[in-house]
Amino acid sequence: EAEIPIPVYGGGNRTAGKQDWRGSVDCPTLEFEYGDADGHAAELSELYSYTENLEFTNNRRCFEEDFKTQVQGKEWLELEEDAQKAYIMGLLDRLEVVSRERRLKVARAVLYLAQGTFGECDSEVDVLHWSRYNCFLLYQMGTFSTFLELLHMEIDNSQACSSALRKPAVSIADSTELRVLLSVMYLMVENIRLERETDPCGWRTARETFRTELSFSMHNEEPFALLLFSMVTKFCSGLAPHFPIKKVLLLLWKVVMFTLGGFEHLQTLKVQKRAELGLPPLAEDSIQVVKSMRAASPPSYTLDLGESQLAPPPSKLRGRRGSRRQLLTKQDSLDIYNERDLFKTEEPATEEEEESAGDGERTLDGELDLLEQDPLVPPPPSEAPLSAERVTFPKGLPWAPKVRQKDIEHFLEMSRNKFIGFTLGQGTDTLVGLPRPIHESVKTLKQHKYISIADVQIKNEEELEKCPMSLGEEVVPETPCEILYQGMLYSLPQYMIALLKILLAAAPTSKAKTDSINILADVLPEEMPITVLQSMKLGIDVNRHKEIIVKSISTLLLLLLKHFKLNHIYQFEYVSQHLVFANCIPLILKFFNQNILSYITAKNSISVLDYPCCTIQDLPELTTESLEAGDNSQFCWRNLFSCINLLRLLNKLTKWKHSRTMMLVVFKSAPILKRALKVKQAMLQLYVLKLLKIQTKYLGRQWRKSNMKTMSAIYQKVRHRMNDDWAYGNDIDARPWDFQAEECTLRANIEAFNSRRYDRPQDSEFSPVDNCLQSVLGQRLDLPEDFHYSYELWLEREVFSQPICWEELLQNH
């Protein structure tokens, strides 16, 4: 049996047989609860790489040396709050020194406080408790603004940049100052962001004040998130290869989540916005519906035919004994109520399927090579759940069906053409001449009509474009989301390209290239490992480092898209279009073109080296057993979280976009997505099925016929659109692919929106003109103080000595 190379997520490839490539079919249902982030301790531990563990003792030593000089005979936890505040004030004063070495020692002492003064704690719970307490104390004393000034200094430190550029290999030693500063800021954001019922009133007030400071421009400075975005672009441009990019991305994600709100807060904002616009309330809470869903069993790979695989010609079936019985058995196996477990006897893939998968991978590789150069639009294409367990069928469908206004108009247009012979444009009120069943159909459609916030925003935008004078100037509320978009607007393409370049470098399927960016600067030690165990530890650290980067970027992009969509649809479309032009769609498909089950169950962590465990216990001697002694969970939370977020991102980019849906077809995404269904987790399966549903009509009758289990799962789990012919291929949108026309129309609307709202000149041609002579002459003008001394001279030079040709003036008017 032929061997095929499998990308392994730490670099390098391993080889495995075909069955390994398909993943285990006996995957248990994963007990995963989706949320804004992982547990508090896990989120703090991911800030540090295992290479940094030696620095914990260094931070403690710096603190104790400084503390002994200021406080005699007491420990930090024994001090009263006022004494603790006085000591922190002294620390911040000692940061104001010229010597970088002395400044770093004091910054390390502050970091030790933010890490929970673990030297005086007995358990991990104590460390986390005192870390939160100290972070609130540090914030109240003004530590964050002080460290923000230091961060500005380090970003502009040209000496550190040039030193890193001259080195053949950048290591963790090149980013020491930046890592200390970013660690303190991350710990403060993450600890203060976390809300608990037992928090005192002062902490809650401090949290809201901190959120406001991060959201808005303070002291004529840009919002903090924009500074971090600029660090990302500077890192990707190659001007600052020593930036600790993992810490920057983690901090950026948490700042955006803290200032704009997480996924549950988004749902609350959506309900509020619909109420403000006078729209009916939502039929259900999508988060709760998804949580109540149950995972389905994966479909049999026996029936998973490739894109190019066709059924055997009838001539080959004739004359063979039992061929009719085989066909009946196969047809019976497609029945969703069948109890036979077909995927227990898995057959190897056919040659056609392997060729199809290979073609898709080559196409994706070609597209992503372009991402390393410039963002380009992909070339146009050539012409061209799965069976749920029987006993767990829910009663009814999980989602309330939805109907768009466009769907009702299209239905009436077809009905009028059929029964009357002419159409009435977009009118949906008059049903004259149509038979009674059509009246009932229209009534049902209108009962399930759904008007989205985006529909209202697009309609308002059209009216503002048509009647700028009569409607007056739009009042735009200064929300944190609006301020962030205004700040990102002119550099947004660079931000998106930079994030996708880092995501490409961190993807487990990416091949190492000489021209790709180095994202390992903040994980590689100064001296490379010399023993096998040290190499194993570094390998785990590198894999973990990449996984955390993927997690932070995927969640950051999804949060930005969802918040911008709620704020204004064209802000969402602007970000989406730049992601599409930067080849985000093939990048995500390439990410999923791996053994996704192995990726989700990967154990790239060493529990004894995770914070806060490593600060309480003595670090054990490195052995194979200690490296492999990870947690006993059946999956890796961050990797499953990343996969779901990338699928949600792909859904956001392709929903209602015909040209982008065709990109999924062109890049042969169906086999890639179907393999992801092997992961038995309801939320992940839902978003995979959504992506399969939108392209089903273009995959051909043979694909639909051969994948009836998947079709049944789509029917069971994905929301229904009343007159959507997704399963039959009769949709009006199944037209020739015209990528440029659709995207160019959208781009024109986006540019008109951005120009109208953000590029208005001060002296607009639509600005009102004062025609009253008295009010014009009576206006007070700010004149220089010495003007009245030279008034007569000015009058002589500018008025009396200037000839006025009254005839010419009259002719011109």
Side-chain angles (χ1 to χ4, degrees):
E1 182 174 291
E3 300 276 300
I4 55 176
I6 306 303
V8 180
Y9 10 93
N13 287 341
R14 64 182 175 88
T15 18
K18 297 173 189 167
Q19 290 178 350
D20 181 28
W21 181 54
R22 296 207 213 321
S24 167
V25 293
D26 296 325
C27 170
T29 301
L30 304 181
E31 299 297 328
F32 171 82
E33 186 172 349
Y34 187 82
D36 290 335
D38 202 350
H40 184 52
E43 291 295 336
L44 294 182
S45 71
E46 289 180 354
L47 176 65
Y48 311 103
S49 61
Y50 296 145
T51 315
E52 290 179 271
N53 276 11
L54 294 175
E55 297 187 10
F56 283 114
T57 54
N58 199 359
N59 298 340
R60 180 179 176 180
R61 189 182 68 252
C62 290
F63 171 81
E64 289 175 348
E65 287 175 359
D66 185 271
F67 192 72
K68 286 175 183 175
T69 62
Q70 305 296 321
V71 181
Q72 303 297 327
K74 282 192 176 182
E75 291 189 333
W76 170 259
L77 300 185
E78 296 172 356
L79 294 181
E80 296 292 331
E81 185 177 331
D82 291 341
Q84 291 175 338
K85 287 181 177 180
Y87 175 71
I88 291 174
M89 284 298 293
L91 272 181
L92 298 182
D93 288 340
R94 289 189 287 282
L95 275 174
E96 306 287 335
V97 292
V98 177
S99 168
R100 282 173 62 86
E101 188 178 344
R102 286 173 59 194
R103 201 163 59 228
L104 177 60
K105 283 187 175 182
V106 178
R108 282 192 180 280
V110 176
L111 177 55
Y112 176 72
L113 285 174
Q115 287 171 341
T117 50
F118 48 82
E120 302 174 31
C121 297
D122 299 323
S123 67
E124 296 177 27
V125 176
D126 287 348
V127 175
L128 295 176
H129 168 77
W130 288 109
S131 176
R132 271 194 96 216
Y133 173 85
N134 291 343
C135 282
F136 273 101
L137 206 60
L138 288 168
Y139 170 70
Q140 289 164 356
M141 302 312 296
T143 307
F144 193 87
S145 55
T146 304
F147 271 66
L148 185 56
E149 292 175 9
L150 294 174
L151 183 62
H152 276 287
M153 288 171 54
E154 285 300 325
I155 292 171
D156 298 333
N157 186 353
S158 56
Q159 184 180 354
C161 292
S162 57
S163 172
L165 286 168
R166 285 196 299 270
K167 288 189 176 182
V170 183
S171 72
I172 200 167
D174 297 296
S175 60
T176 305
E177 288 86 356
L178 275 170
R179 283 187 295 104
V180 170
L181 298 176
L182 290 169
S183 294
V184 171
M185 298 172 102
Y186 178 86
L187 287 167
M188 290 180 70
V189 169
E190 182 61 14
N191 277 309
I192 295 174
R193 181 189 71 84
L194 184 68
E195 296 183 27
R196 290 194 174 144
E197 293 180 1
T198 55
D199 289 347
C201 184
W203 285 16
R204 297 182 186 191
T205 307
R207 181 181 298 117
E208 294 309 313
T209 309
F210 192 28
R211 181 184 280 121
T212 305
E213 283 182 12
L214 293 175
S215 304
F216 299 97
S217 304
M218 306 298 284
H219 312 299
N220 296 323
E221 290 185 358
E222 59 190 3
F224 184 49
L226 291 178
L227 176 66
L228 298 174
F229 268 119
S230 67
M231 290 184 72
V232 173
T233 50
K234 191 172 181 181
F235 172 80
C236 283
S237 66
L239 297 175
H242 66 297
F243 278 5
I245 197 63
K246 183 190 81 173
K247 286 182 168 55
V248 174
L249 290 169
L250 280 173
L251 182 55
L252 177 56
W253 162 36
K254 292 301 170 64
V255 166
V256 168
M257 182 163 65
F258 183 36
T259 54
L260 304 189
F263 297 119
E264 289 194 5
H265 182 64
L266 263 165
Q267 190 72 10
T268 307
L269 290 176
K270 189 174 181 180
V271 171
Q272 290 175 358
K273 188 124 185 177
R274 289 186 68 82
E276 288 170 11
L277 295 173
L279 296 174
L282 295 167
E284 70 270 301
D285 185 340
S286 56
I287 296 174
Q288 298 306 318
V289 173
V290 173
K291 282 182 178 179
S292 65
M293 280 187 174
R294 295 193 58 177
S297 301
S300 166
Y301 235 91
T302 308
L303 308 176
D304 185 11
L305 305 183
E307 297 280 323
S308 58
Q309 185 174 346
L310 300 173
S315 58
K316 291 192 178 181
L317 295 176
R318 283 196 208 105
R320 285 168 53 183
R321 267 189 194 174
S323 61
R324 179 175 175 78
R325 183 175 299 172
Q326 289 170 4
L327 285 172
L328 287 173
T329 304
K330 181 179 179 184
Q331 189 62 38
D332 181 52
S333 72
L334 299 177
D335 190 336
I336 193 165
Y337 298 105
N338 195 345
E339 294 181 39
R340 292 169 52 208
D341 203 358
L342 293 175
F343 51 87
K344 288 292 184 186
T345 55
E346 204 173 49
E347 294 177 9
T350 59
E351 292 178 8
E352 290 92 336
E353 185 178 350
E354 287 175 18
E355 288 172 9
S356 173
D359 290 343
E361 189 170 355
R362 283 193 292 275
T363 309
L364 293 172
D365 283 338
E367 286 301 321
L368 293 173
D369 285 340
L370 299 175
L371 183 58
E372 294 292 336
Q373 304 161 13
D374 293 307
L376 295 175
V377 178
S382 56
E383 291 296 324
L386 326 148
S387 160
E389 297 168 11
R390 184 177 175 187
V391 293
T392 60
F393 273 138
K395 290 184 179 179
L397 297 168
W399 304 99
K402 285 182 180 178
V403 179
R404 294 180 298 169
Q405 177 70 16
K406 179 183 173 184
D407 298 330
I408 301 175
E409 291 170 3
H410 172 59
F411 176 76
L412 278 171
E413 184 181 354
M414 289 179 60
S415 302
R416 285 169 181 150
N417 270 328
K418 181 177 180 180
F419 294 105
I420 307 175
F422 64 89
T423 63
L424 295 175
Q426 297 180 345
T428 59
D429 297 327
T430 305
L431 303 176
V432 176
L434 296 175
R436 177 59 56 187
I438 299 298
H439 287 229
E440 294 295 327
S441 300
V442 172
K443 182 182 176 184
T444 305
L445 289 174
K446 286 185 175 180
Q447 281 176 351
H448 293 91
K449 179 179 171 183
Y450 176 76
I451 302 172
S452 67
I453 294 171
D455 293 335
V456 177
Q457 290 171 340
I458 290 171
K459 188 177 178 182
N460 291 343
E461 195 61 29
E462 289 172 355
E463 291 175 355
L464 283 166
E465 283 291 325
K466 286 178 186 175
C467 314
M469 295 287 289
S470 58
L471 292 177
E473 193 172 336
E474 182 188 17
V475 178
V476 182
E478 291 287 308
T479 61
C481 188
E482 181 65 30
I483 289 169
L484 180 62
Y485 181 78
Q486 289 177 19
M488 291 176 66
L489 180 61
Y490 298 107
S491 302
L492 197 137
Q494 291 90 327
Y495 295 155
M496 296 302 111
I497 293 168
L499 288 173
L500 291 184
K501 279 189 174 183
I502 299 170
L503 183 61
L504 176 62
T509 50
S510 294
K511 300 175 180 67
K513 295 181 182 177
T514 53
D515 57 342
S516 64
I517 52 178
N518 176 23
I519 58 171
L520 304 177
D522 51 336
V523 70
L524 295 178
E526 271 191 286
E527 298 178 1
M528 294 307 286
I530 52 175
T531 67
V532 175
L533 284 172
Q534 287 175 342
S535 299
M536 286 174 63
K537 176 191 166 188
L538 183 58
I540 292 171
D541 206 2
V542 167
N543 291 340
R544 175 177 175 268
H545 180 82
K546 290 183 176 181
E547 289 170 3
I548 294 167
I549 287 177
V550 171
K551 170 187 168 183
S552 56
I553 293 179
S554 62
T555 319
L556 171 65
L557 288 174
L558 182 61
L559 272 175
L560 287 174
L561 283 180
K562 287 184 76 68
H563 275 286
F564 286 150
K565 187 174 184 180
L566 193 59
N567 198 49
H568 199 288
I569 183 63
Y570 283 136
Q571 295 177 351
F572 161 81
E573 296 291 4
Y574 187 52
V575 179
S576 298
Q577 197 164 61
H578 280 295
L579 286 172
V580 172
F581 289 165
N583 287 323
C584 184
I585 291 176
L587 169 55
I588 295 175
L589 292 176
K590 184 175 176 63
F591 180 91
F592 279 93
N593 194 23
Q594 59 169 315
N595 186 342
I596 209 70
L597 192 58
S598 294
Y599 181 72
I600 283 171
T601 55
K603 295 290 195 298
N604 286 313
S605 61
I606 307 169
S607 56
V608 292
L609 298 182
D610 282 334
Y611 173 88
C613 178
C614 64
T615 61
I616 296 297
Q617 304 174 3
D618 293 330
L619 293 181
E621 188 179 346
L622 273 183
T623 62
T624 311
E625 290 74 19
S626 65
L627 289 179
E628 293 177 354
D631 53 10
N632 296 320
S633 60
Q634 57 183 173
F635 61 92
C636 175
W637 196 96
R638 66 171 163 266
N639 288 355
L640 183 49
F641 185 63
S642 302
C643 289
I644 291 173
N645 288 337
L646 287 172
L647 287 169
R648 294 184 73 184
L649 189 59
L650 199 51
N651 267 286
K652 287 279 176 204
L653 296 179
T654 54
K655 188 176 182 181
W656 304 122
K657 301 290 189 300
H658 174 71
S659 54
R660 297 177 193 174
T661 303
M662 290 305 298
M663 288 174 72
L664 294 177
V665 180
V666 171
F667 294 132
K668 295 181 170 41
S669 65
I672 296 171
L673 293 169
K674 271 203 70 180
R675 282 200 294 275
L677 289 173
K678 292 187 175 297
V679 180
K680 287 186 70 175
Q681 204 284 321
M683 194 169 187
L684 183 138
Q685 288 181 344
L686 172 67
Y687 288 106
V688 170
L689 292 171
K690 280 187 173 187
L691 289 166
L692 287 171
K693 178 184 176 180
I694 61 175
Q695 57 179 311
T696 298
K697 63 171 81 77
Y698 310 114
L699 296 176
R701 184 180 176 187
Q702 183 60 44
W703 188 93
R704 296 195 291 271
K705 183 179 175 183
S706 306
N707 291 274
M708 287 304 293
K709 282 196 165 190
T710 305
M711 300 285 282
S712 300
I714 292 171
Y715 180 85
Q716 275 189 327
K717 294 184 178 295
V718 182
R719 188 191 301 277
H720 285 266
R721 300 278 170 175
M722 285 287 193
N723 46 357
D724 181 11
D725 275 352
W726 65 271
Y728 305 103
N730 300 323
D731 196 280
I732 53 164
D733 286 340
R735 59 188 182 274
W737 191 37
D738 190 359
F739 179 89
Q740 289 186 339
E742 189 174 352
E743 293 292 344
C744 286
T745 305
L746 180 60
R747 189 168 192 169
N749 292 335
I750 295 166
E751 286 179 352
F753 164 76
N754 284 334
S755 175
R756 182 190 61 76
R757 189 182 272 197
Y758 304 112
D759 294 343
R760 285 185 307 238
Q762 292 298 318
D763 298 324
S764 170
E765 59 179 309
F766 297 122
S767 57
V769 176
D770 190 353
N771 294 317
C772 178
L773 182 64
Q774 282 185 327
S775 67
V776 170
L777 292 176
Q779 286 179 2
R780 293 187 62 84
L781 298 176
D782 292 328
L783 299 171
E785 292 181 4
D786 58 344
F787 182 75
H788 65 279
Y789 295 118
S790 57
Y791 172 69
E792 293 180 355
L793 181 63
W794 177 86
L795 203 62
E796 181 67 34
R797 187 179 70 244
E798 299 293 336
V799 180
F800 300 142
S801 63
Q802 294 292 332
I804 300 173
C805 185
W806 297 103
E807 291 82 0
E808 191 176 320
L809 187 66
L810 290 171
Q811 286 171 4
N812 290 339
H813 290 74

